[in-house]
Amino acid sequence: MTRLADLAELVRAPAALSVPGDVLSGAAAAGALDRRAPALAGASVLLYWAGMAANDWADRRLDAVERPERPIPSGRVRPSVALGVASGLTAAGLAVATAAGGRRAAAVALPLAATIWGYDLRAKNTAAGPAVMAACRGLDVLLGASGGRVVRALPAALTVAAHTWTVTALSRREVTGADRRLPGLTLAGTALIALATPARPTPPAATARSGSGRLGHLVPAVLAAGYAARYGRAQVRVLADPSPARVRAAVGAGITGLPALQGALTARAGARLLGLAVAGAAPLGRRLARLISPT
């Protein structure tokens, strides 16, 4: 019988703390922070976990060689169970998104689910892999924006997508290690993301008052700096020693550090206190990552 702990490892449960911030940053930017946002964030988590399970199912033969300790090759989770979990979580995620946000949310959730499965089954080991994964995260931000002015959320979606590209590009070298050009490129991208994030567009009327004045600009700047410092340090270590262990550590820092970036984007849109709450998931994610690997 499959244990709950094994399923949690299969879906990399702690990494889901990096997901709700996508939806909330998109909703804040689009002026759609209402009762639908928490449900859409829940739908996003379900789709994320579905993607993790589908990823391990698709990679089960490769993992038997490179990561025999993973739930499927170790025999703790049968392949059929993993595929069933992935399919069930996908259906649940789509159902929750549609129930919460109606047709507009479904119009984003469906291509998001298709892109997740497309990455796992086809794109992951191709040159297009990082771009497809980046598209998944960008669509996730737009899922949160689906109840408002979606065009306002495009900068946030592109920012999260750019960060995701850097993490995914590094993750492709978790087993073999990387040459120094790759961490140099991703580090430059991280610096540009952090510098651009605090630049504040005109916030939606619904959230403008909560982030006014100098403090409204300071919060996203501080959160963006924290994001860059943690993720950047991990990439600098890869530059010094591009071994698989250092690469995996950098990927983990990119995953667990994402809430700080999402919090900065949320605060930039005017939802200062919510941005701080989103960023608060980062330290919790790092603690849980010691129990269950997010990579």
Side-chain angles (χ1 to χ4, degrees), residues 186-233:
T186 60
L187 182 59
T190 299
L192 290 174
I193 290 167
L195 288 171
T197 295
R200 184 177 171 185
T202 302
T207 57
R209 289 188 297 275
S210 67
S212 59
R214 293 181 179 178
L215 187 58
H217 179 74
L218 180 62
V219 171
V222 170
L223 293 178
Y227 151 79
R230 180 168 181 80
Y231 186 30
R233 280 197 303 268

mmCIF file of all heavy atoms in Angstrom, residues 186-233:
data_model
loop_
_atom_site.group_PDB
_atom_site.id
_atom_site.type_symbol
_atom_site.label_atom_id
_atom_site.label_comp_id
_atom_site.label_asym_id
_atom_site.label_seq_id
_atom_site.Cartn_x
_atom_site.Cartn_y
_atom_site.Cartn_z
ATOM 1 N N THR A 186 22.471 32.533 -16.092
ATOM 2 C CA THR A 186 21.311 32.578 -15.203
ATOM 3 C C THR A 186 21.496 33.623 -14.103
ATOM 4 O O THR A 186 20.538 34.276 -13.687
ATOM 5 C CB THR A 186 21.041 31.198 -14.568
ATOM 6 O OG1 THR A 186 22.171 30.784 -13.796
ATOM 7 C CG2 THR A 186 20.748 30.159 -15.651
ATOM 8 N N LEU A 187 22.735 33.815 -13.652
ATOM 9 C CA LEU A 187 22.999 34.828 -12.634
ATOM 10 C C LEU A 187 22.725 36.228 -13.182
ATOM 11 O O LEU A 187 22.137 37.071 -12.491
ATOM 12 C CB LEU A 187 24.433 34.721 -12.140
ATOM 13 C CG LEU A 187 24.861 35.693 -11.033
ATOM 14 C CD1 LEU A 187 23.999 35.519 -9.793
ATOM 15 C CD2 LEU A 187 26.336 35.482 -10.691
ATOM 16 N N ALA A 188 23.125 36.467 -14.410
ATOM 17 C CA ALA A 188 22.838 37.759 -15.039
ATOM 18 C C ALA A 188 21.331 37.966 -15.154
ATOM 19 O O ALA A 188 20.819 39.069 -14.918
ATOM 20 C CB ALA A 188 23.502 37.831 -16.409
ATOM 21 N N GLY A 189 20.613 36.906 -15.510
ATOM 22 C CA GLY A 189 19.163 37.006 -15.596
ATOM 23 C C GLY A 189 18.538 37.317 -14.252
ATOM 24 O O GLY A 189 17.618 38.141 -14.155
ATOM 25 N N THR A 190 19.031 36.671 -13.202
ATOM 26 C CA THR A 190 18.508 36.924 -11.852
ATOM 27 C C THR A 190 18.722 38.379 -11.448
ATOM 28 O O THR A 190 17.837 39.018 -10.865
ATOM 29 C CB THR A 190 19.191 35.990 -10.845
ATOM 30 O OG1 THR A 190 18.908 34.628 -11.195
ATOM 31 C CG2 THR A 190 18.715 36.253 -9.428
ATOM 32 N N ALA A 191 19.888 38.920 -11.754
ATOM 33 C CA ALA A 191 20.176 40.311 -11.420
ATOM 34 C C ALA A 191 19.232 41.260 -12.154
ATOM 35 O O ALA A 191 18.704 42.217 -11.561
ATOM 36 C CB ALA A 191 21.629 40.641 -11.768
ATOM 37 N N LEU A 192 18.997 41.005 -13.426
ATOM 38 C CA LEU A 192 18.093 41.865 -14.198
ATOM 39 C C LEU A 192 16.664 41.782 -13.669
ATOM 40 O O LEU A 192 15.963 42.795 -13.571
ATOM 41 C CB LEU A 192 18.133 41.460 -15.673
ATOM 42 C CG LEU A 192 19.424 41.789 -16.423
ATOM 43 C CD1 LEU A 192 19.389 41.198 -17.821
ATOM 44 C CD2 LEU A 192 19.635 43.299 -16.486
ATOM 45 N N ILE A 193 16.230 40.579 -13.321
ATOM 46 C CA ILE A 193 14.883 40.398 -12.763
ATOM 47 C C ILE A 193 14.731 41.188 -11.468
ATOM 48 O O ILE A 193 13.747 41.896 -11.253
ATOM 49 C CB ILE A 193 14.607 38.902 -12.521
ATOM 50 C CG1 ILE A 193 14.464 38.170 -13.854
ATOM 51 C CG2 ILE A 193 13.347 38.705 -11.672
ATOM 52 C CD1 ILE A 193 14.495 36.656 -13.726
ATOM 53 N N ALA A 194 15.718 41.070 -10.593
ATOM 54 C CA ALA A 194 15.645 41.751 -9.299
ATOM 55 C C ALA A 194 15.665 43.264 -9.464
ATOM 56 O O ALA A 194 14.975 43.988 -8.732
ATOM 57 C CB ALA A 194 16.802 41.304 -8.411
ATOM 58 N N LEU A 195 16.439 43.762 -10.407
ATOM 59 C CA LEU A 195 16.515 45.203 -10.627
ATOM 60 C C LEU A 195 15.223 45.756 -11.217
ATOM 61 O O LEU A 195 14.799 46.871 -10.883
ATOM 62 C CB LEU A 195 17.686 45.538 -11.553
ATOM 63 C CG LEU A 195 19.085 45.382 -10.943
ATOM 64 C CD1 LEU A 195 20.147 45.540 -12.015
ATOM 65 C CD2 LEU A 195 19.298 46.403 -9.829
ATOM 66 N N ALA A 196 14.592 44.966 -12.076
ATOM 67 C CA ALA A 196 13.383 45.456 -12.755
ATOM 68 C C ALA A 196 12.133 45.328 -11.904
ATOM 69 O O ALA A 196 11.197 46.117 -12.061
ATOM 70 C CB ALA A 196 13.192 44.691 -14.072
ATOM 71 N N THR A 197 12.108 44.371 -10.995
ATOM 72 C CA THR A 197 10.870 44.083 -10.254
ATOM 73 C C THR A 197 10.340 45.249 -9.426
ATOM 74 O O THR A 197 9.138 45.520 -9.454
ATOM 75 C CB THR A 197 11.081 42.845 -9.358
ATOM 76 O OG1 THR A 197 11.311 41.711 -10.194
ATOM 77 C CG2 THR A 197 9.860 42.590 -8.494
ATOM 78 N N PRO A 198 11.169 46.003 -8.681
ATOM 79 C CA PRO A 198 10.596 47.085 -7.865
ATOM 80 C C PRO A 198 10.050 48.253 -8.672
ATOM 81 O O PRO A 198 9.325 49.084 -8.132
ATOM 82 C CB PRO A 198 11.780 47.540 -6.997
ATOM 83 C CG PRO A 198 12.745 46.420 -7.044
ATOM 84 C CD PRO A 198 12.580 45.819 -8.397
ATOM 85 N N ALA A 199 10.416 48.358 -9.978
ATOM 86 C CA ALA A 199 9.914 49.458 -10.797
ATOM 87 C C ALA A 199 8.407 49.349 -10.872
ATOM 88 O O ALA A 199 7.860 48.391 -11.423
ATOM 89 C CB ALA A 199 10.529 49.386 -12.187
ATOM 90 N N ARG A 200 7.728 50.320 -10.327
ATOM 91 C CA ARG A 200 6.309 50.160 -10.059
ATOM 92 C C ARG A 200 5.412 50.767 -11.130
ATOM 93 O O ARG A 200 5.466 51.962 -11.395
ATOM 94 C CB ARG A 200 5.979 50.801 -8.713
ATOM 95 C CG ARG A 200 4.552 50.616 -8.294
ATOM 96 C CD ARG A 200 4.353 51.208 -6.940
ATOM 97 N NE ARG A 200 2.946 51.229 -6.610
ATOM 98 C CZ ARG A 200 2.462 51.784 -5.524
ATOM 99 N NH1 ARG A 200 3.281 52.371 -4.690
ATOM 100 N NH2 ARG A 200 1.181 51.764 -5.284
ATOM 101 N N PRO A 201 4.545 49.948 -11.751
ATOM 102 C CA PRO A 201 3.547 50.495 -12.659
ATOM 103 C C PRO A 201 2.404 51.123 -11.865
ATOM 104 O O PRO A 201 2.363 51.032 -10.640
ATOM 105 C CB PRO A 201 3.055 49.254 -13.411
ATOM 106 C CG PRO A 201 3.188 48.165 -12.404
ATOM 107 C CD PRO A 201 4.423 48.506 -11.589
ATOM 108 N N THR A 202 1.479 51.773 -12.539
ATOM 109 C CA THR A 202 0.315 52.323 -11.871
ATOM 110 C C THR A 202 -0.525 51.192 -11.316
ATOM 111 O O THR A 202 -0.976 50.323 -12.055
ATOM 112 C CB THR A 202 -0.540 53.150 -12.844
ATOM 113 O OG1 THR A 202 0.288 54.174 -13.383
ATOM 114 C CG2 THR A 202 -1.721 53.764 -12.120
ATOM 115 N N PRO A 203 -0.745 51.136 -9.990
ATOM 116 C CA PRO A 203 -1.469 50.003 -9.406
ATOM 117 C C PRO A 203 -2.950 50.099 -9.672
ATOM 118 O O PRO A 203 -3.484 51.193 -9.869
ATOM 119 C CB PRO A 203 -1.173 50.130 -7.914
ATOM 120 C CG PRO A 203 -0.932 51.584 -7.702
ATOM 121 C CD PRO A 203 -0.291 52.087 -8.969
ATOM 122 N N PRO A 204 -3.655 48.959 -9.689
ATOM 123 C CA PRO A 204 -5.096 48.974 -9.816
ATOM 124 C C PRO A 204 -5.727 49.772 -8.688
ATOM 125 O O PRO A 204 -5.204 49.824 -7.575
ATOM 126 C CB PRO A 204 -5.485 47.491 -9.725
ATOM 127 C CG PRO A 204 -4.239 46.751 -10.082
ATOM 128 C CD PRO A 204 -3.105 47.602 -9.596
ATOM 129 N N ALA A 205 -6.868 50.393 -8.979
ATOM 130 C CA ALA A 205 -7.524 51.251 -7.992
ATOM 131 C C ALA A 205 -7.857 50.502 -6.716
ATOM 132 O O ALA A 205 -7.819 51.046 -5.622
ATOM 133 C CB ALA A 205 -8.789 51.847 -8.596
ATOM 134 N N ALA A 206 -8.176 49.220 -6.834
ATOM 135 C CA ALA A 206 -8.601 48.437 -5.668
ATOM 136 C C ALA A 206 -7.489 48.267 -4.655
ATOM 137 O O ALA A 206 -7.728 48.035 -3.479
ATOM 138 C CB ALA A 206 -9.110 47.066 -6.110
ATOM 139 N N THR A 207 -6.209 48.391 -5.101
ATOM 140 C CA THR A 207 -5.108 48.129 -4.179
ATOM 141 C C THR A 207 -4.165 49.308 -4.033
ATOM 142 O O THR A 207 -3.191 49.241 -3.300
ATOM 143 C CB THR A 207 -4.290 46.906 -4.657
ATOM 144 O OG1 THR A 207 -3.828 47.176 -5.981
ATOM 145 C CG2 THR A 207 -5.130 45.654 -4.658
ATOM 146 N N ALA A 208 -4.445 50.407 -4.742
ATOM 147 C CA ALA A 208 -3.496 51.507 -4.773
ATOM 148 C C ALA A 208 -3.235 52.090 -3.388
ATOM 149 O O ALA A 208 -2.109 52.421 -3.046
ATOM 150 C CB ALA A 208 -4.009 52.599 -5.709
ATOM 151 N N ARG A 209 -4.277 52.240 -2.581
ATOM 152 C CA ARG A 209 -4.110 52.920 -1.305
ATOM 153 C C ARG A 209 -3.230 52.146 -0.342
ATOM 154 O O ARG A 209 -2.538 52.720 0.482
ATOM 155 C CB ARG A 209 -5.484 53.169 -0.670
ATOM 156 C CG ARG A 209 -6.296 54.236 -1.384
ATOM 157 C CD ARG A 209 -7.546 54.555 -0.587
ATOM 158 N NE ARG A 209 -8.427 53.411 -0.460
ATOM 159 C CZ ARG A 209 -9.335 53.077 -1.379
ATOM 160 N NH1 ARG A 209 -9.456 53.775 -2.497
ATOM 161 N NH2 ARG A 209 -10.119 52.044 -1.194
ATOM 162 N N SER A 210 -3.231 50.791 -0.455
ATOM 163 C CA SER A 210 -2.477 49.989 0.511
ATOM 164 C C SER A 210 -0.979 50.034 0.280
ATOM 165 O O SER A 210 -0.218 49.607 1.130
ATOM 166 C CB SER A 210 -2.949 48.524 0.461
ATOM 167 O OG SER A 210 -2.603 47.954 -0.768
ATOM 168 N N GLY A 211 -0.525 50.542 -0.865
ATOM 169 C CA GLY A 211 0.903 50.543 -1.130
ATOM 170 C C GLY A 211 1.412 51.916 -1.476
ATOM 171 O O GLY A 211 2.409 52.036 -2.176
ATOM 172 N N SER A 212 0.741 52.977 -1.034
ATOM 173 C CA SER A 212 1.107 54.326 -1.418
ATOM 174 C C SER A 212 2.336 54.796 -0.654
ATOM 175 O O SER A 212 2.698 54.267 0.396
ATOM 176 C CB SER A 212 -0.067 55.277 -1.161
ATOM 177 O OG SER A 212 -0.417 55.248 0.206
ATOM 178 N N GLY A 213 2.997 55.817 -1.198
ATOM 179 C CA GLY A 213 4.109 56.432 -0.520
ATOM 180 C C GLY A 213 5.404 55.660 -0.647
ATOM 181 O O GLY A 213 5.516 54.686 -1.374
ATOM 182 N N ARG A 214 6.405 56.140 0.108
ATOM 183 C CA ARG A 214 7.723 55.530 0.034
ATOM 184 C C ARG A 214 7.709 54.064 0.457
ATOM 185 O O ARG A 214 8.428 53.232 -0.095
ATOM 186 C CB ARG A 214 8.708 56.299 0.909
ATOM 187 C CG ARG A 214 9.003 57.702 0.394
ATOM 188 C CD ARG A 214 10.006 58.377 1.292
ATOM 189 N NE ARG A 214 10.330 59.711 0.821
ATOM 190 C CZ ARG A 214 11.158 60.537 1.434
ATOM 191 N NH1 ARG A 214 11.746 60.158 2.572
ATOM 192 N NH2 ARG A 214 11.400 61.723 0.940
ATOM 193 N N LEU A 215 6.924 53.750 1.486
ATOM 194 C CA LEU A 215 6.868 52.370 1.968
ATOM 195 C C LEU A 215 6.350 51.439 0.887
ATOM 196 O O LEU A 215 6.791 50.294 0.776
ATOM 197 C CB LEU A 215 5.977 52.279 3.210
ATOM 198 C CG LEU A 215 5.957 50.921 3.932
ATOM 199 C CD1 LEU A 215 7.358 50.539 4.368
ATOM 200 C CD2 LEU A 215 5.015 50.971 5.122
ATOM 201 N N GLY A 216 5.422 51.932 0.070
ATOM 202 C CA GLY A 216 4.884 51.110 -1.006
ATOM 203 C C GLY A 216 5.947 50.711 -2.002
ATOM 204 O O GLY A 216 5.860 49.649 -2.622
ATOM 205 N N HIS A 217 6.973 51.544 -2.188
ATOM 206 C CA HIS A 217 8.072 51.188 -3.082
ATOM 207 C C HIS A 217 9.152 50.405 -2.345
ATOM 208 O O HIS A 217 9.830 49.558 -2.937
ATOM 209 C CB HIS A 217 8.681 52.446 -3.701
ATOM 210 C CG HIS A 217 9.821 52.162 -4.617
ATOM 211 N ND1 HIS A 217 9.639 51.635 -5.883
ATOM 212 C CD2 HIS A 217 11.166 52.295 -4.459
ATOM 213 C CE1 HIS A 217 10.824 51.474 -6.467
ATOM 214 N NE2 HIS A 217 11.754 51.865 -5.623
ATOM 215 N N LEU A 218 9.331 50.686 -1.049
ATOM 216 C CA LEU A 218 10.389 50.034 -0.286
ATOM 217 C C LEU A 218 10.154 48.540 -0.144
ATOM 218 O O LEU A 218 11.093 47.742 -0.266
ATOM 219 C CB LEU A 218 10.471 50.678 1.098
ATOM 220 C CG LEU A 218 11.536 50.109 2.049
ATOM 221 C CD1 LEU A 218 12.928 50.298 1.468
ATOM 222 C CD2 LEU A 218 11.427 50.768 3.420
ATOM 223 N N VAL A 219 8.912 48.145 0.107
ATOM 224 C CA VAL A 219 8.625 46.727 0.327
ATOM 225 C C VAL A 219 9.015 45.873 -0.876
ATOM 226 O O VAL A 219 9.753 44.890 -0.720
ATOM 227 C CB VAL A 219 7.143 46.510 0.714
ATOM 228 C CG1 VAL A 219 6.802 45.024 0.732
ATOM 229 C CG2 VAL A 219 6.864 47.120 2.082
ATOM 230 N N PRO A 220 8.556 46.183 -2.101
ATOM 231 C CA PRO A 220 8.985 45.351 -3.228
ATOM 232 C C PRO A 220 10.492 45.390 -3.460
ATOM 233 O O PRO A 220 11.086 44.384 -3.874
ATOM 234 C CB PRO A 220 8.214 45.924 -4.424
ATOM 235 C CG PRO A 220 7.752 47.260 -4.005
ATOM 236 C CD PRO A 220 7.570 47.188 -2.525
ATOM 237 N N ALA A 221 11.132 46.542 -3.179
ATOM 238 C CA ALA A 221 12.577 46.639 -3.371
ATOM 239 C C ALA A 221 13.314 45.717 -2.412
ATOM 240 O O ALA A 221 14.260 45.014 -2.800
ATOM 241 C CB ALA A 221 13.028 48.087 -3.187
ATOM 242 N N VAL A 222 12.886 45.697 -1.153
ATOM 243 C CA VAL A 222 13.536 44.845 -0.158
ATOM 244 C C VAL A 222 13.317 43.369 -0.485
ATOM 245 O O VAL A 222 14.245 42.551 -0.391
ATOM 246 C CB VAL A 222 13.014 45.172 1.255
ATOM 247 C CG1 VAL A 222 13.478 44.134 2.267
ATOM 248 C CG2 VAL A 222 13.479 46.561 1.677
ATOM 249 N N LEU A 223 12.100 43.009 -0.867
ATOM 250 C CA LEU A 223 11.816 41.610 -1.191
ATOM 251 C C LEU A 223 12.588 41.159 -2.430
ATOM 252 O O LEU A 223 13.110 40.035 -2.471
ATOM 253 C CB LEU A 223 10.310 41.428 -1.413
ATOM 254 C CG LEU A 223 9.432 41.612 -0.171
ATOM 255 C CD1 LEU A 223 7.958 41.448 -0.535
ATOM 256 C CD2 LEU A 223 9.816 40.617 0.924
ATOM 257 N N ALA A 224 12.673 42.033 -3.422
ATOM 258 C CA ALA A 224 13.431 41.686 -4.629
ATOM 259 C C ALA A 224 14.912 41.524 -4.303
ATOM 260 O O ALA A 224 15.591 40.626 -4.839
ATOM 261 C CB ALA A 224 13.232 42.752 -5.697
ATOM 262 N N ALA A 225 15.430 42.368 -3.418
ATOM 263 C CA ALA A 225 16.836 42.256 -3.020
ATOM 264 C C ALA A 225 17.089 40.943 -2.272
ATOM 265 O O ALA A 225 18.111 40.280 -2.477
ATOM 266 C CB ALA A 225 17.222 43.449 -2.152
ATOM 267 N N GLY A 226 16.146 40.571 -1.405
ATOM 268 C CA GLY A 226 16.290 39.303 -0.696
ATOM 269 C C GLY A 226 16.267 38.111 -1.631
ATOM 270 O O GLY A 226 17.042 37.160 -1.473
ATOM 271 N N TYR A 227 15.374 38.177 -2.617
ATOM 272 C CA TYR A 227 15.314 37.117 -3.639
ATOM 273 C C TYR A 227 16.649 36.995 -4.357
ATOM 274 O O TYR A 227 17.204 35.899 -4.505
ATOM 275 C CB TYR A 227 14.184 37.438 -4.622
ATOM 276 C CG TYR A 227 14.403 36.911 -6.013
ATOM 277 C CD1 TYR A 227 14.169 35.572 -6.318
ATOM 278 C CD2 TYR A 227 14.839 37.751 -7.038
ATOM 279 C CE1 TYR A 227 14.373 35.084 -7.606
ATOM 280 C CE2 TYR A 227 15.044 37.281 -8.315
ATOM 281 C CZ TYR A 227 14.818 35.949 -8.608
ATOM 282 O OH TYR A 227 15.022 35.477 -9.876
ATOM 283 N N ALA A 228 17.185 38.132 -4.802
ATOM 284 C CA ALA A 228 18.430 38.121 -5.566
ATOM 285 C C ALA A 228 19.599 37.642 -4.725
ATOM 286 O O ALA A 228 20.471 36.909 -5.211
ATOM 287 C CB ALA A 228 18.706 39.518 -6.113
ATOM 288 N N ALA A 229 19.626 38.046 -3.456
ATOM 289 C CA ALA A 229 20.748 37.675 -2.601
ATOM 290 C C ALA A 229 20.818 36.167 -2.390
ATOM 291 O O ALA A 229 21.881 35.554 -2.543
ATOM 292 C CB ALA A 229 20.632 38.395 -1.255
ATOM 293 N N ARG A 230 19.674 35.556 -2.071
ATOM 294 C CA ARG A 230 19.691 34.122 -1.780
ATOM 295 C C ARG A 230 19.929 33.288 -3.033
ATOM 296 O O ARG A 230 20.807 32.428 -3.063
ATOM 297 C CB ARG A 230 18.390 33.697 -1.099
ATOM 298 C CG ARG A 230 18.376 32.208 -0.780
ATOM 299 C CD ARG A 230 17.257 31.803 0.124
ATOM 300 N NE ARG A 230 17.344 30.381 0.400
ATOM 301 C CZ ARG A 230 18.151 29.816 1.280
ATOM 302 N NH1 ARG A 230 18.960 30.559 1.992
ATOM 303 N NH2 ARG A 230 18.159 28.504 1.466
ATOM 304 N N TYR A 231 19.144 33.548 -4.063
ATOM 305 C CA TYR A 231 19.287 32.768 -5.294
ATOM 306 C C TYR A 231 20.621 33.098 -5.967
ATOM 307 O O TYR A 231 21.286 32.213 -6.508
ATOM 308 C CB TYR A 231 18.118 33.080 -6.211
ATOM 309 C CG TYR A 231 18.047 32.251 -7.472
ATOM 310 C CD1 TYR A 231 18.530 30.950 -7.527
ATOM 311 C CD2 TYR A 231 17.466 32.782 -8.632
ATOM 312 C CE1 TYR A 231 18.447 30.204 -8.690
ATOM 313 C CE2 TYR A 231 17.374 32.039 -9.786
ATOM 314 C CZ TYR A 231 17.866 30.747 -9.821
ATOM 315 O OH TYR A 231 17.782 30.017 -10.978
ATOM 316 N N GLY A 232 21.012 34.360 -5.912
ATOM 317 C CA GLY A 232 22.272 34.755 -6.529
ATOM 318 C C GLY A 232 23.469 34.091 -5.885
ATOM 319 O O GLY A 232 24.390 33.642 -6.569
ATOM 320 N N ARG A 233 23.486 34.032 -4.548
ATOM 321 C CA ARG A 233 24.612 33.380 -3.854
ATOM 322 C C ARG A 233 24.754 31.931 -4.291
ATOM 323 O O ARG A 233 25.867 31.431 -4.489
ATOM 324 C CB ARG A 233 24.421 33.456 -2.342
ATOM 325 C CG ARG A 233 24.806 34.784 -1.714
ATOM 326 C CD ARG A 233 24.996 34.650 -0.211
ATOM 327 N NE ARG A 233 23.805 34.129 0.441
ATOM 328 C CZ ARG A 233 22.836 34.886 0.951
ATOM 329 N NH1 ARG A 233 22.933 36.209 0.859
ATOM 330 N NH2 ARG A 233 21.791 34.349 1.542
#
